[in-house]
């Protein structure tokens, strides 16, 4: 009996050795050649571009608050019921919806073409136009519906809201709780739409030089898809019947080994 368990342990050890020896460092580790990558000293100036269907919160203020009021949208009141049954009111500022032509309808200023412009470009344009009416205007802009989708071989696939004005591919993967061991790190697909045109691009995050590519930073509504490796694809072909057969075969091998051991 002791010999039987010893053999079983040896078989399990060999199986585990074969299983884990399939993956190597070059298949898993990110930024593998970063030590040999020339660093760039210039500051990062990346900015997203405003696109159709974006929701923009734009707030105008000035030294004299009353003069800025006509350039702001009103707030929307929303009521909610408390546990005691009383209604509680809350207010939220309205947002500008960028239409299919990249245009918003701004108070006093009228139609403004913002599609395709960066955040700083939109701020500068609005500030210059308002400066004709009020003194020292201050304009703040925030994208309210920035989100990215991370799908495929990640621990928690889904669509994630982004609170800042930019997010890196690595940060998005981190929001999805990292790639699984079955995810292909050398062939990550990024689906992007700019000005109504869709593009499909693949990124190898094992190579550090991808941080200088246009896909290191994601834009709003990007879709990141992590392709499964061969191990996952092959495993998906194993149906429940095959699993049962493997279990039965394992039991039979164990019984045969036990009988042979007793005979000896």
């Amino acid at each position: 009996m002791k010999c039987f368990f010893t053999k079983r342990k040896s078989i399990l050890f060999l199986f585990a050795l074969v299983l884990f020896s399939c993956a190597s460092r070059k298949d898993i580790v990110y930024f593998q050649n970063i030590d040999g990558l020339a660093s760039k000293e210039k500051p990062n100036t990346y900015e997203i571009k405003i696109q159709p269907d974006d929701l923009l919160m734009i707030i105008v203020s000035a030294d004299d608050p009353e003069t800025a009021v006509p350039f702001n949208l009103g707030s929307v009141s929303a009521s909610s019921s408390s546990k005691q049954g009383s209604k509680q009111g809350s207010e939220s500022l309205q947002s500008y919806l960028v239409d299919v032509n990249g245009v918003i309808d701004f108070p006093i200023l009228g139609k403004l073409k913002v599609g395709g412009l960066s955040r700083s470009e939109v701020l500068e344009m609005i500030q210059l136009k308002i400066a004709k009416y009020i003194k020292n205007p201050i304009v703040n802009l925030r994208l309210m519906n920035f989100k990215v989708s991370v799908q495929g071989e990640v621990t928690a696939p889904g669509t994630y809201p982004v609170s800042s004005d930019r997010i890196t591919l690595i940060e998005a993967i981190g929001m999805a709780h990292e790639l699984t061991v079955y995810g292909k790190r050398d062939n990550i697909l990024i689906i992007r739409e700019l000005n109504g045109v869709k593009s499909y691009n693949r990124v190898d995050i094992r190579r550090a030089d991808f941080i200088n590519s246009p896909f290191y930073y994601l834009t709003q509504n990007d879709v990141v898809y992590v392709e499964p490796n061969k191990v996952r694809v092959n495993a998906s072909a194993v149906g429940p019947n095959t699993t049962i057969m493997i279990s039965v075969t394992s039991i039979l091998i164990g019984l045969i080994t036990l009988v042979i051991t007793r005979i000896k």
Side-chain angles (χ1 to χ4, degrees), residues 205-223:
I205 61 175
R206 301 173 310 167
R207 296 182 55 82
D209 51 5
F210 95 90
I211 65 177
N212 297 323
S213 78
F215 308 103
Y216 178 65
Y217 285 103
L218 300 179
T219 64
Q220 59 270 50
N221 304 315
D222 275 0
V223 176

Side-chain angles (χ1 to χ4, degrees), residues 46 48 143-148 160-167 218-222:
Y46 172 83
I48 61 170
L143 180 59
M144 302 301 294
N145 60 339
F146 192 167
K147 63 184 184 298
V148 295
Y160 295 92
V162 179
S163 57
S164 63
D165 281 342
R166 61 186 181 185
I167 182 174
L218 300 179
T219 64
Q220 59 270 50
N221 304 315
D222 275 0

